[in-house]
Amino acid sequence: MSNNADNIIINRAETTKIDSVDFENLTFGNIFTDHMLICDYKQGVWEKPIIKPYEPFLIDPSAKVFHYGQAIFEGMKAYKDDHDDVWLFRPDENYKRFNKSAARLAMPEVPEDVFIEGMKKLIEIDEKWVKTGMGNSLYIRPFMIATGPGVIAAPAQFYRFMIILSPAKSYYSGEVKVIIAEHYSRAANGGIGAAKAAGNYSAQFYPTKLANDLGFQQIIWTDDATHTKLEEAGTMNVFFRINDTLYTAPTSERILDGVTRKSLLDIAKRENINVEVRPVLVEELIKAAENGTLQEIFGSGTAAVVNPIVGFSYQDKYYELPKQENSVALQLKQKLNDIQYKIAEDTFGWTVKI
Amino acid sequence: MSNNADNIIINRAETTKIDSVDFENLTFGNIFTDHMLICDYKQGVWEKPIIKPYEPFLIDPSAKVFHYGQAIFEGMKAYKDDHDDVWLFRPDENYKRFNKSAARLAMPEVPEDVFIEGMKKLIEIDEKWVKTGMGNSLYIRPFMIATGPGVIAAPAQFYRFMIILSPAKSYYSGEVKVIIAEHYSRAANGGIGAAKAAGNYSAQFYPTKLANDLGFQQIIWTDDATHTKLEEAGTMNVFFRINDTLYTAPTSERILDGVTRKSLLDIAKRENINVEVRPVLVEELIKAAENGTLQEIFGSGTAAVVNPIVGFSYQDKYYELPKQENSVALQLKQKLNDIQYKIAEDTFGWTVKI
């Protein structure tokens, strides 16, 4: 049942697309490298992984991914240091979370050598696509879909695990204003909010579009039962700095256990920043905004790393955040980036060389 | 932007698979007819629908359906009467719900002539696959997926609407026992539970597997905030008959507006059966089971039509339902089937001839 990196079938592309790419003007997630990894699961057995040219593939119209949304993913990045070495950041965390998502969606677990060693081999082959320089990275998208056929609502017998790679600069640009959710929700108690399940994301598109129409880029999601607890920001975890303490909600069934989130918490503690991981109430935030103790709000995630928020709206009232001379968001972002790009010493042991 | 049935491009299969199909031993949703309908949406415009041989199609690995779950569907059936005429059942209801689902998932609305006229034309071409006789039907699966590329969490620019057809006998077999959900949930307040979104279904697979392992076929979902209200049964709406009154929950953001559900309600009213559409509490059900007033529980849906439940478990206690001499579930099922198969007069005007 198990594969290993030595067993990967490699079918190299005859040409490269790299010369046609403008690496100075990348938009996030639109350009893919020359190769992709595919590993198929058929009735209980993982087949040999294949690395082959990036291209469309054939799939049956009744594949369960189309009808029942059996689909999960991860988001990761590779960074190139000044010695042209390429590094992954905490890939074990993404691997573990991927298989947790798989279990919640009744999908098979992916073997570690397919996920980790397959990823390393794929990046090694497309290594030229990882550019040096702060902000440049290679976004890594491992995902799994149910390819098994049949329009009956039950888990599939066939799955496909894939990894695709996309050169990246940064995820968000411009100032980010958010609306605090009062009606729409991201996740149910006892639901799949903690899984990186495909269906969790499209569920947000319509409410986010409504927010966009009002001039806001993202939504801060609240708990669906009472809309009193602040949970996630768009597709990121969310931090609040109030009176020099950094607050973020504990992970739960509704809240994704973000790798960037937990890394920022560890860095903040090392830097002796006061941190409290506990449910944060909307009314606390409003009070802090009104009495001047609210200093910062920021999102955290692999794509954006840290995304400062300049203001928020709640019950049709807009609260502008104060300009920060010493933004903790930006300090934490730099400290994390310095580890990821091997500029600072990685005292946590988070980076893994390819 | 609009198409019509005259504009459908038809590319007929050279051979038919029909002679290889054992129509007496069909399992639900596994066999597909000779043709399918495809209609692509590209940057604001629906292209001409195409009817072509059923076969796998090419799709980009970064298609948003795989990563963000932008995918919706409908389930419908066509029935053949004794004069070899083929009938649809309330297709306008499915069409309207499909576009409601589309809006909630930030997908484009499908034009009526593509959905309805395209469906009629497709069934006309594969008309031999609709067999006469009670219980035989052609299951119709219209669905739409985001084919647009890009691993950024935002709505796609490209979509594909498809219709595939599968000959059917009946959905469930054997006795159905259910567990009442105490922890897991199907839908959030402010979520997408009322949409026929793909992601709603895979979210149920793992909890349903846990129920299966305990010897139960389905779960009766409760509200996610308090787990005190009975909402849906598996992938069906759910009815309770207590003391000669039929109860079912009102539709909501969390509960699908089932076409079979609303049709059964109309038939029940016509038959002078007491009906109450209101939230039904778990504690009411337990009390009724204990004092002997609980008569029946059944699910309703297109695939199963009516699915009687023989018993349920709550807090590790199993409650067996009494055997019914005059099951209202089966009476309603027969009355609905008689309309669908054109055995009884369709006083409601629900049936549409192809």
Side-chain angles (χ1 to χ4, degrees):
Chain A
M1 261 198 66
S2 176
N3 295 282
N4 64 56
D6 296 337
N7 269 329
I8 298 173
I9 299 162
I10 296 171
N11 171 15
R12 277 178 191 264
E14 288 178 12
T15 56
T16 177
K17 298 172 290 189
I18 198 167
D19 296 329
S20 67
V21 176
D22 178 1
F23 281 86
E24 291 308 307
N25 294 293
L26 295 167
T27 54
F28 190 90
N30 277 325
I31 303 282
F32 297 93
T33 65
D34 291 322
H35 298 87
M36 62 184 183
L37 180 139
I38 293 181
C39 190
D40 284 329
Y41 177 91
K42 296 189 176 167
Q43 288 172 310
V45 180
W46 284 102
E47 304 196 330
K48 276 192 185 187
I50 302 172
I51 292 175
K52 56 176 289 188
Y54 183 98
E55 63 185 2
F57 61 95
L58 282 168
I59 187 166
D60 195 85
S62 77
K64 297 212 180 198
V65 61
F66 296 142
H67 302 270
Y68 306 117
Q70 260 190 310
I72 59 170
F73 70 93
E74 277 296 325
M76 306 164 66
K77 279 182 177 172
Y79 306 88
K80 193 172 259 181
D81 69 16
D82 289 340
H83 309 286
D84 277 348
D85 287 325
V86 179
W87 299 84
L88 294 173
F89 183 73
R90 309 186 78 174
D92 52 320
E93 292 289 337
N94 294 90
Y95 172 64
K96 279 187 280 181
R97 191 172 62 183
F98 190 79
N99 277 343
K100 276 190 196 170
S101 299
R104 184 60 183 85
L105 275 284
M107 301 171 86
E109 291 192 4
V110 173
E112 187 168 0
D113 44 11
V114 173
F115 190 100
I116 301 283
E117 301 311 318
M119 179 181 298
K120 285 180 179 172
K121 191 74 203 170
L122 178 65
I123 295 170
E124 200 184 299
I125 287 172
D126 281 340
E127 176 269 335
K128 284 200 171 65
W129 291 78
V130 201
K131 299 296 181 187
T132 52
M134 182 66 71
N136 294 326
S137 65
L138 185 68
Y139 182 78
I140 307 162
R141 172 57 62 92
F143 65 105
M144 177 164 45
I145 57 172
T147 49
V151 291
I152 183 160
Q157 298 299 314
F158 302 90
Y159 295 87
R160 172 163 283 191
F161 171 73
M162 298 183 75
I163 306 176
I164 56 177
L165 307 172
S166 177
K169 289 191 89 75
S170 64
Y171 193 78
Y172 288 107
S173 55
E175 296 197 327
V176 176
K177 296 178 190 173
V178 297
I179 286 184
I180 294 177
E182 293 169 57
H183 174 75
Y184 289 105
S185 304
R186 187 189 161 273
N189 295 300
I192 60 169
K196 271 191 100 72
N200 285 336
Y201 294 81
S202 49
Q204 302 182 39
F205 290 171
Y206 175 72
T208 304
K209 199 170 66 169
L210 295 181
N212 295 162
D213 290 346
L214 296 170
F216 298 86
Q217 285 70 45
Q218 291 289 350
I219 293 169
I220 294 189
W221 299 106
T222 50
D223 67 296
D224 80 305
T226 66
H227 295 296
T228 58
K229 293 175 204 151
L230 299 156
E231 305 217 314
E232 288 199 28
T235 58
M236 302 179 288
N237 292 112
V238 63
F239 288 79
F240 306 91
R241 188 159 74 98
I242 299 171
N243 214 5
D244 288 328
T245 294
L246 207 54
Y247 298 90
T248 193
T251 58
S252 72
E253 272 184 329
R254 294 191 306 266
I255 301 180
L256 195 77
D257 184 10
V259 178
T260 306
R261 172 189 173 279
K262 71 172 86 170
S263 303
L264 293 178
L265 286 173
D266 285 343
I267 292 171
K269 285 171 197 163
R270 188 191 65 185
E271 301 295 316
N272 293 317
I273 294 167
N274 288 332
V275 171
E276 278 191 39
V277 177
R278 65 159 174 81
V280 185
L281 301 178
V282 177
E283 64 176 0
E284 282 182 81
L285 183 72
I286 301 299
K287 200 176 151 194
E290 285 176 345
N291 69 20
T293 54
L294 176 63
Q295 295 156 304
E296 291 180 77
I297 307 177
F298 59 95
S300 74
T302 292
V305 188
V306 162
N307 208 258
I309 289 162
V310 300
F312 69 90
S313 170
Y314 181 65
Q315 292 182 344
D316 297 325
K317 188 170 170 191
Y318 181 68
Y319 300 82
E320 178 111 7
L321 270 79
K323 298 265 176 293
Q324 292 297 314
E325 291 288 314
N326 291 299
S327 159
V328 165
L330 296 183
Q331 286 172 42
L332 291 174
K333 179 177 183 171
Q334 194 187 328
K335 301 235 177 257
L336 182 54
N337 273 336
D338 286 352
I339 294 172
Q340 291 167 329
Y341 287 90
K342 304 301 285 181
I343 293 166
E345 195 192 346
D346 173 15
T347 54
F348 297 103
W350 287 338
T351 52
V352 175
K353 195 170 166 178
I354 291 184
Chain B
M1 260 197 65
S2 177
N3 294 279
N4 63 58
D6 297 336
N7 269 328
I8 298 173
I9 299 162
I10 296 172
N11 171 15
R12 278 178 191 264
E14 289 179 11
T15 55
T16 176
K17 298 172 290 189
I18 199 166
D19 296 329
S20 67
V21 176
D22 177 0
F23 281 85
E24 291 308 307
N25 295 291
L26 295 167
T27 54
F28 191 90
N30 277 324
I31 303 282
F32 297 93
T33 65
D34 291 321
H35 298 87
M36 61 185 184
L37 180 139
I38 293 181
C39 190
D40 284 330
Y41 177 90
K42 297 189 175 166
Q43 288 171 311
V45 180
W46 284 101
E47 304 196 330
K48 274 193 186 188
I50 301 172
I51 291 175
K52 56 176 287 189
Y54 183 97
E55 63 185 2
F57 61 95
L58 282 168
I59 186 166
D60 195 85
S62 77
K64 297 212 181 199
V65 61
F66 297 142
H67 302 271
Y68 306 117
Q70 260 190 311
I72 59 169
F73 70 94
E74 277 296 323
M76 305 165 64
K77 278 181 177 173
Y79 307 88
K80 192 172 261 181
D81 69 15
D82 288 340
H83 309 286
D84 278 348
D85 287 325
V86 179
W87 299 83
L88 294 173
F89 183 72
R90 308 186 79 175
D92 52 320
E93 291 290 335
N94 294 92
Y95 172 64
K96 279 187 279 181
R97 190 172 63 184
F98 190 79
N99 278 342
K100 277 189 195 170
S101 298
R104 184 60 183 85
L105 276 283
M107 301 170 87
E109 291 191 7
V110 173
E112 188 168 359
D113 45 11
V114 173
F115 190 99
I116 301 282
E117 301 310 316
M119 179 181 298
K120 286 181 179 173
K121 191 73 202 170
L122 178 65
I123 295 171
E124 199 184 299
I125 288 173
D126 280 341
E127 177 268 334
K128 284 198 172 63
W129 292 78
V130 200
K131 299 296 182 188
T132 52
M134 182 65 73
N136 293 326
S137 65
L138 186 68
Y139 183 76
I140 307 162
R141 173 57 62 93
F143 65 105
M144 177 164 46
I145 56 173
T147 49
V151 291
I152 184 161
Q157 298 298 315
F158 302 89
Y159 296 87
R160 171 164 282 192
F161 171 73
M162 297 181 76
I163 306 176
I164 56 178
L165 307 173
S166 176
K169 287 190 89 76
S170 64
Y171 193 80
Y172 289 105
S173 55
E175 296 198 327
V176 177
K177 295 178 189 173
V178 298
I179 287 184
I180 294 176
E182 293 169 57
H183 174 76
Y184 290 105
S185 303
R186 189 189 161 273
N189 294 300
I192 60 169
K196 270 191 101 72
N200 285 336
Y201 294 82
S202 50
Q204 303 182 40
F205 289 171
Y206 175 71
T208 304
K209 198 169 68 170
L210 296 181
N212 294 162
D213 290 346
L214 296 171
F216 297 86
Q217 286 70 46
Q218 291 290 350
I219 293 169
I220 293 188
W221 298 105
T222 49
D223 67 295
D224 79 304
T226 66
H227 295 294
T228 58
K229 292 174 206 152
L230 299 156
E231 305 217 313
E232 288 199 27
T235 58
M236 302 178 288
N237 293 110
V238 63
F239 288 79
F240 307 90
R241 187 159 74 98
I242 299 171
N243 215 5
D244 288 328
T245 294
L246 206 53
Y247 297 89
T248 193
T251 58
S252 72
E253 272 184 330
R254 293 191 306 267
I255 301 180
L256 194 77
D257 185 9
V259 178
T260 307
R261 172 189 173 281
K262 72 172 84 170
S263 303
L264 293 178
L265 286 173
D266 285 343
I267 293 172
K269 285 172 199 161
R270 188 191 64 184
E271 300 296 316
N272 293 316
I273 294 166
N274 289 330
V275 171
E276 279 192 38
V277 177
R278 64 159 173 83
V280 185
L281 301 178
V282 178
E283 63 177 3
E284 281 182 84
L285 183 71
I286 301 298
K287 199 174 152 197
E290 286 175 345
N291 69 19
T293 55
L294 175 62
Q295 296 156 305
E296 293 182 76
I297 307 177
F298 59 95
S300 73
T302 292
V305 188
V306 162
N307 209 257
I309 289 163
V310 300
F312 69 92
S313 171
Y314 181 65
Q315 292 182 343
D316 296 325
K317 188 170 169 192
Y318 181 68
Y319 300 82
E320 178 109 8
L321 270 78
K323 298 266 177 293
Q324 292 298 314
E325 291 288 312
N326 291 300
S327 159
V328 165
L330 296 183
Q331 286 171 42
L332 291 174
K333 178 176 183 170
Q334 195 187 327
K335 300 235 177 256
L336 182 53
N337 272 336
D338 286 351
I339 295 171
Q340 291 168 329
Y341 287 91
K342 304 300 284 183
I343 293 166
E345 196 192 346
D346 173 15
T347 54
F348 296 104
W350 286 338
T351 52
V352 175
K353 194 170 167 179
I354 290 183

